[in-house]
């Protein structure tokens, strides 16, 4: 419900363990390339850096004593390699180097399929916007009927926001995931003059960015990632909220193609996909808050704030992955009832066209005069159960300045869409250019 198989695999204990071992393997390889350790030692260490050779649960239990899993991991790795390679395991590194870099690897491996799903979500939004470019529906403000719009315009709004949020997340993946390697205090003192060169080789070995300097207490990378994930969750939550509202029985304009049932009521067709997206999206802000609140960190090694990041980061990755996958599915099979949209737009008997009618009368009656006249006619519609068009056609003052066709046009929802279709076209054009 709150992850995907790929996200669960990419953020689970075994994945974190393998990511930490990937750091140790790459570190040995980088140091061998720099001439710091023998090639044979690097190859031996690399052969042992496989998660299946380690007991993750036992490492986790031993991690409690030092508030880090790395000490136990390095102990076990050292015991696996031969005596010649043992002195070169974890050389020059500290626990935070291992976990921070592992976090970057976990993030990258998780984000690739998430971005694929978001790309598909954008594609579905574009398809719906194109198909329903001119499908008239009522826009609502403060949950009340406002003015006519099109469902295509609503979908174009989804599209633009999804593209924007996805772009931010993609930027973080492409530009902000960097290796962390600073040693005990960020200076790589134990490597002497070789430190910066090893840093560059390590980054290249792992396919991560090379930072200007170690970022062990500069958590802006984590903060940018958290913000980008939070924005994606919010955008997907908005789509789910819209679908839920439109799928209400009394509204009936949308329906999920694979609705959920009820354990008690056989007739129910619940918007289960939207519910799952909502449940995931609503949990994300609290986790983002935890990651942001962990930014201030003491001196050169945090005493708790750094450790507070690991689990919230994994959880927010899983939740956003779930939200993206569920949104992709629900939009791919979304059922749109254009007839119900038209009926709902007409349900106020034309009162939602009051602004249009006033605009048509402004030149002849002035703004105040037009609004006063239309307000009176709207009251008559409510009192008599008639329509605004009927009242306009029956009013002598109106007939003096507007023809029958002008009155019909002023009360036709499809004729009062403003730039809705033009905005749809702009959104689709922007998406095609990406």
């Amino acid at each position: 419900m709150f992850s995907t198989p790929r996200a669960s695999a990419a953020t689970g204990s075994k994945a974190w363990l393998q990511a930490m071992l990937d750091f140790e393997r790459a570190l040995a390889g980088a140091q061998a390339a720099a001439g710091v350790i023998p090639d044979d030692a690097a190859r031996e260490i690399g052969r042992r850096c496989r998660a299946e050779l380690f007991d993750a649960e036992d490492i986790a239990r031993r991690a409690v004593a030092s508030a880090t899993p790395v000490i136990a991991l390095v102990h076990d790795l050292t015991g696996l390699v031969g005596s010649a390679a043992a002195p070169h395991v974890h050389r020059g590194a500290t626990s935070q180097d291992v976990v921070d870099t592992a976090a970057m690897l976990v993030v990258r491996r998780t984000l690739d399929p998430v971005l694929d799903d978001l790309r598909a979500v954008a594609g579905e939004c574009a398809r719906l916007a194109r198909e329903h470019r001119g499908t008239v529906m009522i826009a609502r403000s403060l949950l009340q009927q406002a003015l006519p719009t099109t469902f295509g315009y609503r979908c174009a709004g989804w599209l633009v926001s999804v593209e924007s949020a996805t772009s931010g997340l993609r930027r973080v993946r492409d530009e902000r995931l960097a290796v962390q390697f600073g040693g005990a205090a960020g200076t790589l003192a134990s490597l002497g003059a070789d430190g910066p060169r090893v840093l560059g080789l390590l980054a290249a070995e792992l396919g991560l960015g090379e930072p200007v300097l170690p970022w062990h207490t500069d958590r802006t990378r984590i903060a940018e990632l958290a913000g980008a994930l939070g924005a994606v969750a919010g955008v997907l939550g908005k789509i789910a909220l819209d679908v839920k509202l439109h799928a209400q029985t009394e509204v009936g304009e949308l329906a999920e193609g694979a609705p959920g049932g009820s354990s008690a009521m056989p007739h129910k067709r619940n918007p289960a996909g939207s519910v799952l997206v909502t449940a995931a999206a609503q949990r994300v802000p609290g986790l983002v808050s935890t990651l942001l609140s962990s930014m201030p960190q003491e001196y050169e090694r945090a005493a708790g704030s750094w450790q507070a990041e690991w689990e919230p980061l994994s959880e927010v990755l899983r939740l956003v992955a779930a939200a993206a996958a569920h949104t992709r599915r629900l939009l791919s099979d979304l059922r749109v009832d254009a007839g119900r949209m038209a009926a709902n737009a007409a349900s106020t008997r034309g009162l939602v066209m009051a602004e249009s009618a006033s605009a048509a009368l402004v030149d002849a009656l002035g703004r105040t005069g037009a609004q006063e006249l239309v307000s009176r006619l709207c009251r008559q519609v409510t009192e008599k159960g008639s329509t605004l068009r009927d009242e306009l056609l029956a009013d002598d003052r109106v007939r003096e300045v507007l023809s029958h066709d002008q009155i019909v046009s002023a009360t036709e929802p499809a004729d009062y869409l403003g730039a809705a279709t033009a905005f749809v076209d702009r959104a689709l054009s922007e998406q095609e250019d990406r």
Side-chain angles (χ1 to χ4, degrees):
M1 290 173 64
F2 299 115
S3 186
T4 65
R6 292 180 71 178
S8 293
T11 60
S13 295
K14 184 176 180 180
W16 273 92
L17 176 58
Q18 185 58 60
M20 290 189 286
L21 289 166
D22 289 341
F23 172 89
E24 297 291 356
R25 173 194 55 75
L27 176 62
Q31 291 179 337
V36 175
I37 69 173
D39 289 340
D40 289 346
R43 283 193 289 270
E44 172 65 9
I45 292 169
R47 280 195 293 270
R48 302 299 181 177
C49 287
R50 304 198 314 274
E52 62 267 22
L53 300 179
F54 296 79
D55 185 338
E57 291 186 5
D58 183 56
I59 290 173
R61 280 192 294 270
R62 287 183 285 153
V64 175
S66 56
T68 174
V70 178
I71 294 174
L73 175 67
V74 171
H75 177 274
D76 291 355
L77 176 58
T78 303
L80 284 175
V81 302
S83 58
H88 305 295
V89 172
H90 193 65
R91 183 165 177 176
T94 191
S95 294
Q96 187 172 0
D97 294 336
V98 181
V99 176
D100 276 352
T101 301
M104 297 291 99
L105 294 173
V106 166
V107 168
R108 187 180 64 191
R109 293 163 183 173
T110 308
L111 286 188
D112 286 343
V114 172
L115 288 166
D116 287 343
D117 280 337
L118 289 172
R119 191 177 303 111
V121 167
E124 293 298 337
C125 291
R127 174 184 63 81
L128 289 166
R130 191 176 296 108
E131 291 177 1
H132 296 281
R133 176 178 179 274
T135 301
V136 176
M137 63 175 284
I138 195 69
R140 297 168 173 91
S141 61
L142 279 70
L143 299 178
Q144 306 299 306
Q145 291 202 359
L147 294 174
T149 184
T150 73
F151 182 58
Y153 182 59
R154 172 68 60 75
C155 298
W158 294 346
L159 170 62
V160 170
S161 60
V162 168
E163 289 280 19
S164 179
T166 302
S167 177
L169 187 59
R170 187 181 297 113
R171 185 193 71 82
V172 171
R173 183 199 63 178
D174 294 344
E175 300 177 16
R176 298 296 286 158
L177 302 185
V179 69
Q180 161 55 33
F181 182 49
T187 63
L188 291 175
S190 66
L191 295 179
D194 292 317
R197 185 174 178 219
V198 172
L199 173 63
L201 291 167
L202 176 59
E205 183 79 17
L206 291 170
L208 294 171
E210 178 184 353
V212 175
L213 50 81
W215 52 273
H216 46 296
T217 54
D218 172 10
R219 312 311 283 179
T220 51
R221 297 175 192 277
I222 300 296
E224 289 178 40
L225 172 64
L229 290 167
V232 168
V235 165
L236 299 179
K238 156 65 174 171
I239 295 174
L241 178 58
D242 281 344
V243 173
K244 287 187 301 179
L245 290 171
H246 285 287
Q248 292 177 99
T249 304
E250 293 81 1
V251 180
E253 295 171 350
L254 297 176
E256 293 186 13
S262 165
S263 62
M265 296 170 282
H267 69 282
K268 291 294 291 298
R269 295 294 182 267
N270 294 320
S274 300
V275 168
L276 288 173
V277 175
T278 299
Q282 289 188 345
R283 291 170 59 190
V284 169
L287 296 165
V288 170
S289 176
T290 298
L291 292 171
L292 294 178
S293 68
S294 299
M295 287 187 72
Q297 303 202 357
E298 304 89 345
Y299 299 121
E300 278 64 55
R301 184 81 67 242
S305 296
W306 158 59
Q307 293 85 348
E309 294 172 345
W310 312 335
E311 287 198 345
L313 180 58
S314 291
E315 186 67 5
V316 75
L317 286 168
R318 288 190 288 268
L319 290 168
V320 171
H326 291 315
T327 303
R328 178 180 184 173
R329 282 193 291 271
L330 79 88
L331 290 181
S332 68
D333 200 21
L334 189 67
R335 310 298 171 84
V336 180
D337 191 334
R340 188 64 176 266
M341 288 179 175
N344 286 339
S347 64
T348 63
R349 302 187 302 279
L351 291 178
V352 294
M353 300 303 295
E355 182 185 75
S356 173
S358 296
L361 292 166
V362 163
D363 288 345
L365 305 180
R367 178 179 176 81
T368 301
Q371 289 188 337
E372 289 178 350
L373 173 56
V374 174
S375 293
R376 175 174 60 80
L377 297 180
C378 287
R379 288 193 295 272
Q380 292 177 196
V381 170
T382 302
E383 293 166 0
K384 296 162 56 177
S386 58
T387 68
L388 181 58
R389 180 178 295 175
D390 291 339
E391 296 300 328
L392 288 165
L393 288 170
D395 189 88
D396 292 337
R397 194 175 181 195
V398 173
R399 293 306 301 269
E400 289 176 0
V401 297
L402 294 179
S403 68
H404 178 278
D405 288 347
Q406 287 175 318
I407 292 173
V408 170
S409 179
T411 53
E412 174 55 52
D415 291 344
Y416 199 63
L417 297 173
T421 54
F423 283 136
V424 171
D425 294 341
R426 286 176 59 168
L428 291 173
S429 177
E430 178 74 14
Q431 194 249 358
E432 289 167 359
D433 290 342
R434 287 180 180 270

